[in-house]
Amino acid sequence: MNIKSIIMILIILIAYNVSYSQEIEFLSHCVSNNTQGAISVFSADIDNDGNLDILSASSDDNKIAWFKKIDNDNFTENIISTNSIGANCVFSIDINNDGYMDVLSTSNDDNKIVLYENNGEGIFIENLISSNANGAYSVFAIDLDSDSDIDILSASWINHKISWYENDGEENFMEHTISSTAIGASSVFAIDIDNDNDIDVISSAYLSNKISLYQNDGSENFEEFIVSSNAEIALSVYSIDVDGDEYPDILSASFMDNKISWYKNNGSGNFTEHIVSTNAIGAYSVFAIDLDSDSDNDILSASWGDDKISWYENDGEENFVEHIITLNAFGACSVYATDFDNDGDVDVFSASDQGDKIEWYENIQENGIHEENYIYNLDFTLTNHPNPFNPSTTIEFSIQNDSEINLSIYNIEGQKIKTLAQNEFLKGSHSITWDGNDKYGKIASSGIYYYKLIVNGKTQAVRKCLLLK
């Protein structure tokens, strides 16, 4: 019996009362209705053509697949594996720094963490990371030990373990246990939570209702801090700066109490819970990104019990208004968001295990941030060259008046990775070079990035650039 089976028994359906009005409209497109038990969705440029693709994990057909967009309503399925027994999570990153996005999966029924190395020609070479992650349920990847190699993390619910797998630079991985007391470990994420230049780890544990932070001492020794023990059947965690104070906050989705929460990071290791919603019936997945392009990060959820994908609009003062994207994601298990169609606004994806579906919700707001015309004021210009680039690009902008300027780089998930400028600029033309490194001096991986120009506190322009290696 896996987590999905257990929580299906425990599901409590209660009435909800939510506003249907929304300022952003979404057009639903079926990517696939042949992903049996679809449980996880992700997006990355798999074939390196400059356009994003969609990835899925589906538990009932043991499948990891990626989908290439032909047009808005037609996608070509490419199967990576049908041997991921009880597949339940998919993730993508360039593990070996060869310029091609690789794929990671977990599978609950065979206890496996698997890396599929992309050779750039549509072939994936399977690399078994572990077959001892009993009840493997979540996977993530990041350079955890600051050696410029991407490491892997996992959460496994049967052996209650959070682990990281150290990459020796040649794609050999050694397991290190972060915790063996994450009772019912269900989700793992990693980020520098305390701004001390090393990567910390966050987990949810559904049997102990716990959200935990494991602080990295800089030598990959981790000390656990309990963020919450009141997230009933906690299934998902994420981290992003919700309140704009430069400290990443923590978000959670918990199934039994129908709750989406964010925990404010005060920068001193203390977290205060703020409830976003208790109407996400069977809350299963949480994500965050600036969906409405107002410089505040919004929150998204997938909830299994009411078949709902919602986004919660951040008003800039950490008050959230729910907007329903769909009530037809039957058994919604996963939500993800990025600018999929390269039009400058953020689109949304879902995986739903009862409908066997992967769906793309195209953001069709008429006043959206279309990359080609997202200039609120004609007194401002913004461009970069070369684009695509490797290893650096020069960003040029002009202003008609002396102004306070903030120019920052964001990854495809909406997380700020580097501030290039934050000070007063005289009127006229200016150029700033991004060297392709993040704020810690680490080389950014291949992929799509955004650079945002904020003038006198207001977002004036967003542009996209492509780092190719």
Side-chain angles (χ1 to χ4, degrees):
M1 181 176 290
N2 59 25
I3 291 178
K4 186 171 65 177
S5 301
I6 294 171
I7 62 179
M8 285 174 69
I9 296 171
L10 295 173
I11 180 69
I12 298 175
L13 298 176
I14 39 184
Y16 50 86
N17 180 19
V18 182
S19 169
Y20 282 77
S21 62
Q22 50 186 340
E23 296 177 4
I24 300 177
E25 293 185 6
F26 292 90
L27 180 63
S28 176
H29 303 276
C30 178
V31 176
S32 174
N33 56 10
N34 191 37
T35 45
Q36 297 172 31
I39 195 168
S40 180
V41 66
F42 200 84
S43 184
D45 182 6
I46 296 298
D47 54 1
N48 223 20
D49 65 352
N51 297 307
L52 290 174
D53 307 296
I54 301 170
L55 296 105
S56 70
S58 41
S59 60
D60 293 345
D61 56 11
N62 309 312
K63 189 166 64 176
I64 306 298
W66 70 277
F67 302 88
K68 182 176 180 62
K69 179 185 169 193
I70 305 304
D71 56 45
N72 280 0
D73 295 300
N74 292 282
F75 295 81
T76 300
E77 180 181 22
N78 302 272
I79 295 174
I80 297 173
S81 175
T82 55
N83 294 308
S84 184
I85 311 302
N88 47 29
C89 188
V90 67
F91 188 86
S92 183
I93 195 170
D94 182 6
I95 286 277
N96 52 12
N97 204 31
D98 64 353
Y100 299 109
M101 297 296 284
D102 306 299
V103 178
L104 289 155
S105 73
T106 58
S107 39
N108 177 83
D109 295 344
D110 58 9
N111 308 314
K112 283 184 180 179
I113 313 294
V114 176
L115 164 65
Y116 307 93
E117 295 188 56
N118 183 354
N119 74 349
E121 297 178 357
I123 297 172
F124 291 85
I125 301 166
E126 182 173 332
N127 181 351
L128 178 63
I129 304 302
S130 176
S131 58
N132 296 309
N134 296 342
Y137 211 77
S138 176
V139 68
F140 191 80
I142 196 169
D143 181 8
L144 192 67
D145 53 3
S146 302
D147 64 352
S148 298
D149 300 310
I150 300 296
D151 307 296
I152 299 170
L153 298 101
S154 70
S156 43
W157 73 277
I158 292 177
N159 61 5
H160 314 306
K161 198 157 65 168
I162 305 297
S163 293
W164 75 281
Y165 305 86
E166 181 181 2
N167 185 351
D168 69 356
E170 297 181 357
E171 291 72 64
N172 302 305
F173 293 86
M174 177 182 294
E175 181 178 1
H176 304 272
T177 299
I178 296 173
S179 174
S180 57
T181 59
I183 309 302
S186 52
S187 180
V188 66
F189 193 87
I191 194 171
D192 181 7
I193 203 81
D194 48 9
N195 288 344
D196 64 351
N197 296 337
D198 50 51
I199 300 298
D200 308 295
V201 178
I202 305 160
S203 74
S204 63
Y206 85 99
L207 289 176
S208 56
N209 304 323
K210 197 164 66 173
I211 308 298
S212 294
L213 165 66
Y214 308 91
Q215 283 190 314
N216 185 347
D217 69 356
S219 299
E220 291 69 64
N221 301 305
F222 294 90
E223 182 179 1
E224 181 179 6
F225 296 88
I226 306 301
V227 177
S228 175
S229 56
N230 192 37
E232 296 182 42
I233 306 189
L235 290 183
S236 179
V237 288
Y238 193 77
S239 182
I240 201 169
D241 182 8
V242 172
D243 53 2
D245 64 355
E246 301 294 331
Y247 293 105
D249 306 296
I250 296 173
L251 300 98
S252 69
S254 43
F255 186 92
M256 198 65 176
D257 54 12
N258 312 309
K259 191 166 66 173
I260 305 298
S261 289
W262 74 280
Y263 306 87
K264 178 178 173 59
N265 180 359
N266 74 349
S268 301
N270 297 311
F271 293 84
T272 304
E273 181 178 8
H274 299 268
I275 296 174
V276 177
S277 176
T278 54
N279 289 313
I281 311 303
Y284 213 110
S285 176
V286 68
F287 191 79
I289 195 171
D290 182 5
L291 190 65
D292 54 4
S293 306
D294 63 354
S295 299
D296 301 307
N297 284 314
D298 308 295
I299 297 172
L300 296 102
S301 69
S303 41
W304 189 90
D306 53 12
D307 310 318
K308 187 169 66 173
I309 305 297
S310 287
W311 73 281
Y312 306 88
E313 181 181 359
N314 185 349
D315 70 356
E317 297 181 357
E318 295 76 62
N319 301 305
F320 291 89
V321 176
E322 179 175 4
H323 304 282
I324 295 174
I325 296 174
T326 185
L327 284 168
N328 295 310
F330 300 115
C333 291
S334 179
V335 65
Y336 188 81
T338 188
D339 179 10
F340 177 63
D341 51 4
N342 294 329
D343 66 351
D345 51 42
V346 176
D347 308 293
V348 179
F349 308 91
S350 72
S352 45
D353 72 345
Q354 300 300 294
D356 301 326
K357 259 188 182 183
I358 302 297
E359 291 187 87
W360 161 43
Y361 307 95
E362 181 186 2
N363 186 336
I364 56 172
Q365 57 175 325
E366 292 183 1
N367 296 317
I369 315 171
H370 299 285
E371 183 191 11
E372 304 307 321
N373 60 11
Y374 178 39
I375 298 290
Y376 286 120
N377 189 323
L378 294 178
D379 289 343
F380 303 92
T381 60
L382 182 66
T383 187
N384 78 293
H385 64 85
N387 192 18
F389 69 96
N390 179 26
S392 64
T393 188
T394 299
I395 299 171
E396 297 180 342
F397 64 93
S398 63
I399 51 177
Q400 296 299 312
N401 299 291
D402 296 353
S403 303
E404 183 71 24
I405 294 295
N406 180 298
L407 181 63
S408 297
I409 306 293
Y410 294 78
N411 64 20
I412 202 166
E413 296 183 0
Q415 297 167 332
K416 185 190 295 185
I417 68 164
K418 190 169 189 177
T419 298
L420 298 181
Q422 188 170 10
N423 51 280
E424 187 83 16
F425 280 73
L426 300 177
K427 67 178 182 180
S429 298
H430 304 272
S431 63
I432 296 174
T433 297
W434 179 36
D435 60 6
N437 293 339
D438 66 13
K439 62 183 177 181
Y440 304 124
K442 300 176 185 175
I443 299 171
S445 59
S446 297
I448 296 171
Y449 293 86
Y450 296 92
Y451 53 101
K452 180 187 292 186
L453 178 66
I454 300 175
V455 181
N456 295 326
K458 181 179 179 182
T459 298
Q460 295 295 338
V462 175
R463 288 286 184 262
K464 183 185 301 179
C465 58
L466 179 62
L467 173 56
L468 289 178
K469 295 180 180 179

